[in-house]
Amino acid sequence: MEEKDRKGFRTVAGTDEKEYKQKIREHRLKVMKKVTIVVLILFVVGAGLGVFMAFRHYEGFDVLASVDRSDTEGTQFEVFAGNILKYSNDGAFYLDAQNGLIWNQTYEMAMPQIDICGDYLTIYDKRGSRIYIFTKDGLKGSIETTLPITQVCVAAQGTVAALMQKDDAGYLALYDREGNNLAQGAIHGEKGGYPIAIALSHDAIKLAVSMLDVNDGQVKSTLAFYNFGSVGQNEIDNCVGVISFSDMVIPEIEFMTNDRMSAFGSSKIMIFEGKQKPELKAEIPIDREAKSVFCNEDYIGFIIPGDGEIVTHYMLVYDTNGKQTMGKDIGSEYGKAEFLSNNEICLRNGSVCDIYTIRGVYKFHYEFDSEIYKVLPGISRLNYTFVLKNVTEKVRLK
């Protein structure tokens, strides 16, 4: 109701306070609804884009940078400490991504092989007698063995284990990072098993040996575990465990981490764990002879023959608990299978390159004009470095 004040002006009764607060509340709710709708739309679009990108298949790329190289016949490539190692029968070159020389080493080897762990690298002559020890800064030590070399393993601090052979006997030698001999002696099983493979833990505390025993047509493989720490000092010859497997050959063993080792047998893959004494944790059966096996710290992969002409190969990946994470039909031939540093799987065959994610998404396929030697993941999921014959290219998939 209107009233007159003493000066004759009219006054209007104030708006109802409850009605005013209700209008403010309604306005705020409208704003919140609009913001929520916008956020939901952005989330759905982002999630859809993420799913699309995760499952997208690429068959092309843009070259961001290219560097020419000069390679000799038989050159091999490997990634070491973030750069590229190029090696052949007559020497090794350690190069950055721009093909800049960091160091080089000349030698003469009939069958050069390498082993890498952390910041240490060994190059050795299989069936020869020469071993070189390197870091990213260059040569640290060299070894001249008295017996032909079968296999060499290096630890993350530079300790080297070398398996050697003479006639029907196996010998094991340990060296420090400068190449000085620490220990050496014959190695064999209780009933004359012959050592065919070794594995050295990253800290050089644990050593595993795979031995093969064939008697009266019966095949048996034995894994022997050694500990060079305080626990092993209480055991005979530092041996902390022996496990035998009938009707199986175990030609390859590898420490995935300090406390985890994989053993690749002819009928199954075994995962061992233990800080001091490795124990069998998981077994992965293989119903057909594996053409390739490969692993990193977290996964084990292998490829077996397929069931027909269309599916020529079948690729499987398991985690360290023995749980299958991927099974994928492969319809084409391949020459090399390996995990990349981002857990993707790269298959190469001459000039053809295929990349799969750890979940089996077929991410990339391309046939180059020349042979592809190595693939290095970049800073994003679409960036890679392709090491091709005589050229290195940094690319982005499209």
Side-chain angles (χ1 to χ4, degrees):
M1 141 182 287
E2 296 181 344
E3 297 179 352
K4 287 186 179 181
D5 63 11
R6 295 179 180 179
K7 294 183 179 180
F9 293 101
R10 295 177 183 273
T11 61
V12 180
T15 304
D16 184 82
E17 184 176 355
K18 290 184 179 180
E19 182 181 353
Y20 178 72
K21 290 183 177 180
Q22 179 65 27
K23 289 182 178 180
I24 293 177
R25 189 179 299 110
E26 291 175 353
H27 175 72
R28 287 176 176 174
L29 287 173
K30 289 181 181 179
V31 172
M32 289 180 64
K33 287 180 180 178
K34 290 180 180 179
V35 171
T36 302
I37 291 171
V38 171
V39 171
L40 286 174
I41 291 173
L42 292 175
F43 175 80
V44 171
V45 171
L49 181 60
V51 171
F52 171 75
M53 294 296 289
F55 286 89
R56 185 180 175 186
H57 177 73
Y58 300 87
E59 293 196 0
F61 54 85
D62 291 322
V63 178
L64 307 179
S66 179
V67 178
D68 292 331
R69 301 189 322 274
S70 179
D71 302 330
T72 59
E73 198 66 30
T75 298
Q76 301 183 69
F77 293 82
E78 191 54 75
V79 180
F80 170 53
N83 293 303
I84 299 171
L85 175 72
K86 182 174 82 170
Y87 66 101
S88 62
N89 296 64
D90 54 7
F93 297 84
Y94 188 50
L95 311 167
D96 60 26
Q98 289 72 44
N99 201 42
L101 179 65
I102 300 174
W103 53 256
N104 71 293
Q105 176 68 45
T106 59
Y107 54 70
E108 291 293 334
M109 293 186 183
M111 195 180 300
Q113 305 286 315
I114 68 170
D115 189 65
I116 295 171
C117 185
D119 294 329
Y120 276 85
L121 153 77
T122 58
I123 303 178
Y124 64 96
D125 192 10
K126 188 171 183 178
R127 299 176 187 166
S129 59
R130 176 63 70 177
I131 304 171
Y132 291 95
I133 307 168
F134 301 92
T135 67
K136 60 183 179 180
D137 298 319
L139 183 67
K140 292 302 177 184
S142 64
I143 301 164
E144 182 74 28
T145 65
T146 57
L147 299 171
I149 300 167
T150 300
Q151 183 187 354
V152 169
C153 295
V154 64
Q157 35 62 302
T159 298
V160 172
L163 178 63
M164 300 170 288
Q165 65 176 19
K166 183 180 180 182
D167 300 326
D168 293 329
Y171 296 84
L172 182 68
L174 295 176
Y175 304 89
D176 65 18
R177 71 191 72 183
E178 284 81 29
N180 300 310
N181 186 275
L182 300 175
Q184 182 170 333
I187 187 167
H188 51 77
E190 294 180 358
K191 297 182 180 180
Y194 181 77
I196 59 175
I198 59 172
L200 185 64
S201 65
H202 299 182
D203 57 8
I205 297 297
K206 294 180 284 293
L207 174 76
V209 181
S210 174
M211 290 174 283
L212 179 64
D213 186 10
V214 180
N215 284 312
D216 300 325
Q218 300 295 316
V219 175
K220 183 180 75 172
S221 289
T222 299
L223 292 176
F225 299 96
Y226 298 85
N227 186 302
F228 300 110
S230 57
V231 172
Q233 292 177 4
N234 300 321
E235 307 290 343
I236 298 175
D237 295 330
N238 296 89
C239 184
V240 294
V242 176
I243 305 177
S244 295
F245 303 89
S246 300
D247 300 321
M248 184 167 59
V249 180
I250 306 176
E252 184 177 347
I253 54 179
E254 182 174 347
F255 274 94
M256 304 166 71
T257 66
N258 267 331
D259 304 323
R260 183 184 302 130
M261 192 198 81
S262 56
F264 299 95
S266 54
S267 59
K268 61 183 174 181
I269 296 172
M270 293 153 288
I271 301 172
F272 295 85
E273 284 197 5
K275 291 185 178 297
Q276 303 296 341
K277 300 180 179 182
E279 297 181 356
L280 184 61
K281 178 183 179 182
E283 295 181 313
I284 303 168
I286 304 176
D287 58 1
R288 278 161 281 179
E289 184 177 357
K291 182 178 178 181
S292 299
V293 293
F294 46 98
C295 69
N296 59 15
E297 289 188 0
D298 302 308
Y299 296 98
I300 292 173
F302 60 95
I303 299 176
I304 58 177
D307 295 323
E309 294 182 0
I310 297 177
V311 181
T312 57
H313 299 95
Y314 193 66
M315 178 167 60
L316 298 105
V317 175
Y318 289 77
D319 63 20
T320 54
N321 294 314
K323 180 181 178 181
Q324 182 177 328
T325 63
M326 187 257 278
K328 188 73 175 180
D329 295 335
I330 302 174
S332 59
E333 292 294 332
Y334 75 98
K336 174 70 175 179
E338 63 183 346
F339 280 114
L340 302 180
S341 60
N342 60 358
N343 282 336
E344 293 177 341
I345 301 113
C346 179
L347 306 182
R348 292 182 281 111
N349 187 39
S351 61
V352 178
C353 175
D354 293 296
I355 297 176
Y356 295 83
T357 70
I358 196 65
R359 300 301 175 185
V361 176
Y362 189 15
K363 181 177 180 179
F364 176 72
H365 169 82
Y366 196 82
E367 185 170 355
F368 297 88
D369 294 330
S370 60
E371 185 174 358
I372 181 166
Y373 296 134
K374 206 70 182 174
V375 176
L376 290 74
I379 57 175
S380 77
R381 64 180 303 275
L382 297 182
N383 289 79
Y384 293 86
T385 296
F386 294 146
V387 181
L388 300 154
K389 185 176 182 179
N390 295 321
V391 65
T392 300
E393 293 181 342
K394 286 190 173 183
V395 309
R396 181 175 176 83
L397 305 187
K398 66 176 183 179

